[in-house]
Amino acid sequence: APAPALFWVGLKRNASACTDEEQPLRGFSWEGVEDGAAPQEVPAALGRWLQEPLRSCSTARCAGLHLAADPGDGPSWGWKE
């Protein structure tokens, strides 16, 4: 059976930014966009998190695109810190 995979595609939250549960990217932004200071706008459909990121404002964090090997009844993809 195929294994689940996690790809880092440049999604990062800098130490100066806080987790924001109201945003699709939760306060993360694409690497190289305005120094990562502001999250880029994304369609709400792309704000699918398999696991909510930790609430933090003090450490830099990265998030990746998680692809499920056998999603069963669950989503086949989503963001994961």
Side-chain angles (χ1 to χ4, degrees):
L6 183 63
F7 299 96
W8 186 66
V9 289
L11 202 54
K12 181 180 178 185
R13 186 178 54 70
N14 291 334
S16 60
C18 295
T19 305
D20 185 352
E21 294 169 1
E22 301 298 313
Q23 297 292 324
L25 292 181
R26 306 297 193 264
F28 286 76
S29 60
W30 305 111
E31 185 81 325
V33 176
E34 298 176 23
D35 299 323
Q40 262 190 321
E41 291 298 314
V42 297
L46 292 181
R48 175 188 287 171
W49 287 78
L50 293 180
Q51 186 177 340
E52 287 293 327
L54 296 173
R55 296 187 70 168
S56 169
C57 297
S58 58
T59 57
R61 305 288 297 182
C62 293
L65 179 61
H66 187 268
L67 302 178
D70 181 13
D73 292 336
S76 59
W77 66 274
W79 302 110
K80 203 170 185 181
E81 197 172 39

